[in-house]
Amino acid sequence: VERGEAIGPRVLTAGPYFDHRPSHLGWIGGVNSADEARQLFDSWKRRIDGVKVYTSIQEPELVAVIGSAHEAGLRVVGHLDSVTATRAIELGIDGLEHGIFAMSELAGPAPDFFPTTPWLAKLAALDVDAPPMKALIASIVERHVVIDPTTVALQQLLPDFVAVADWKRFTAPESVKPIDDLFAMLRQEASKQGPQWLEALHGALRKQNQFVKAVHDRGGIVVA
């Protein structure tokens, strides 16, 4: 398709996740040093259009990835946790995934499997107009860091959630059951939680929307 020999969609790829080893996700290989991060990038740089770093990446590895990617003219986005959003912005990251739910300076590290009531409650209690949040938002806007909030990832845990489109129409048939199974497991876990958890989730989602609106209103870049 890229060479014009076949008709198809323009596909932009990020290759492998860049993460510290061992990753929270078993299928991510991960790296253990800045040198390994550079080597992994060098083996992929002619086949990818961007880079995504994941939750356990360590700062020296992130520095190496950002430096190598920018030298090659590629952008770096991150689903962060071990490195705060504030620090990643200082280091030159180009995009942040999942909004406040992946900014560990706000409520501490994200729970490994499922959002807990205390963690959600901390997010729900954030003041978007407080000086620390205003400084973070200003940094995002000034550095042109792209925010990809993916709020629906948490909304789908709500008992009255309805998808806006039939996602199965756009999904490879062999992928439908594993995704269905994952959603069923998450909904089952959500059903075990009490009213305090649901209240905290609603509060965190409201805060996510306030955060995204604040970034947008100040001229920041928000994508779907």
Side-chain angles (χ1 to χ4, degrees):
V1 172
E2 193 72 21
R3 291 192 297 268
E5 298 169 8
I7 294 172
R10 182 182 181 209
V11 178
L12 302 177
T13 68
Y17 280 97
F18 282 72
D19 198 11
H20 187 72
R21 187 168 63 243
S23 172
H24 288 308
L25 297 180
W27 48 268
I28 294 179
V31 298
N32 266 333
S33 67
D35 286 341
E36 283 189 28
R38 291 188 194 95
Q39 291 167 9
L40 180 61
F41 177 80
D42 287 343
S43 70
W44 278 90
K45 64 183 179 182
R46 292 179 181 82
R47 296 180 283 164
I48 56 177
D49 305 287
V51 174
K52 184 172 183 181
V53 299
Y54 203 58
T55 57
S56 296
I57 195 163
Q58 301 300 296
E59 186 170 314
E61 298 155 3
L62 180 58
V63 170
V65 171
I66 291 175
S68 296
H70 286 178
E71 283 179 18
L74 300 180
R75 295 165 67 82
V76 179
V77 302
H79 177 166
L80 299 176
D81 195 52
S82 55
V83 178
T84 65
T86 302
R87 184 61 180 146
I89 293 168
E90 292 171 352
L91 297 175
I93 203 164
D94 301 290
L96 297 171
E97 306 293 303
H98 317 307
I100 65 172
F101 297 110
M103 297 178 171
S104 55
E105 65 263 56
L106 303 182
D112 282 346
F113 165 65
F114 194 80
T116 62
T117 301
W119 184 74
L120 290 170
K122 286 181 182 179
L123 294 177
L126 290 173
D127 181 357
V128 175
D129 293 320
M133 286 295 288
K134 290 179 81 169
L136 175 57
I137 292 167
S139 181
I140 289 167
V141 174
E142 289 165 9
R143 304 285 187 100
H144 305 289
V145 176
V146 176
I147 298 297
D148 178 17
T150 67
T151 310
V152 72
L154 274 290
Q155 287 174 325
Q156 61 99 10
L157 297 179
L158 296 172
D160 57 352
F161 172 75
V162 178
V164 297
D166 180 9
W167 60 270
K168 295 178 184 180
R169 288 177 52 212
F170 308 100
T171 306
E174 64 271 21
S175 296
V176 169
K177 187 178 185 305
I179 295 172
D180 255 345
D181 290 347
L182 174 61
F183 284 172
M185 179 185 67
L186 291 172
R187 282 192 294 270
Q188 183 179 27
E189 191 66 29
S191 70
K192 300 176 187 174
Q193 310 301 317
Q196 287 184 321
W197 178 85
L198 191 57
E199 180 182 351
L201 175 58
H202 275 292
L205 289 169
R206 283 194 298 271
K207 206 61 59 165
Q208 170 86 317
N209 288 341
Q210 291 174 19
F211 164 77
V212 171
K213 186 176 188 302
V215 171
H216 175 267
D217 287 351
R218 288 162 177 74
I221 305 165
V222 180
V223 299

